[in-house]
Amino acid sequence: MIQPEKIIVADDHPLFRQALLETLKTRMPSSAWYQAETVGQLDQVLTAQPEADLLLLDLNIPGAHGFNTLIHVRNHFLQIPVVVVSAYEDNDTIAKAMEFGAAGYVPKSTPVDDIFVAIQAVLEGQIWTPENFTSPASGHSEIADRVASLTQQQHKILMMFAEGLQNKQIAYDLNVTEATIKAHATAIFKKLNVRNRTQAVIAISQLDLAEQNL
């Protein structure tokens, strides 16, 4: 049995997160556990712990905007395998998560014993999906490639655009000038092949989770 050194858990549901941690800690007592409830916190943890062995990621943590966070993490932290732990159980969502770089997908309804099996499989370099998962035919996502090309700062700013924040507020929050934000915006629009922030937000909405699966 593999005993990873560091595992990050990104989930905004305290009860689920604590129940999961309490169970897994008994099976992996030598592992250090790091928690994040939002994308902002996750960015901080990943920056501080880039050598983490595994990330357990809920697709719906605040600020995630569908698959954007998964794509971003897989592009900038290639060495960290990601296991998606989500309330979404439909084939299409699972297939997209795997397409966008997840090493495993675990529905939250999965028994803890199976969650542990999934984690161990991924730590051994395997891919893990639910037994009843059947991959549907899906085309390649060009917008996913474009999002993956963004730098960490550009991705952070794009997510702030999606939250409706204006340049002045973003500059204040990131402690930079408005001119810097405008320069980043220009680069973001070019990479996403759009003309303005409205089109940028519409473009990344293609990576949102389907409403009918909520």
Side-chain angles (χ1 to χ4, degrees), residues 58-114:
D58 181 356
L59 293 174
N60 256 349
I61 59 173
H65 295 282
F67 294 102
N68 282 281
T69 296
L70 171 61
I71 293 167
H72 175 68
V73 171
R74 292 302 301 136
N75 186 58
H76 290 280
F77 300 91
L78 287 172
Q79 72 281 11
I80 304 178
V82 179
V83 172
V84 171
V85 183
S86 175
Y88 293 82
E89 301 189 17
D90 61 288
N91 279 349
D92 189 54
T93 299
I94 298 174
K96 286 182 178 178
M98 304 308 291
E99 176 189 344
F100 296 147
Y105 193 104
V106 181
K108 285 189 174 181
S109 61
T110 303
V112 175
D113 285 346
D114 290 341

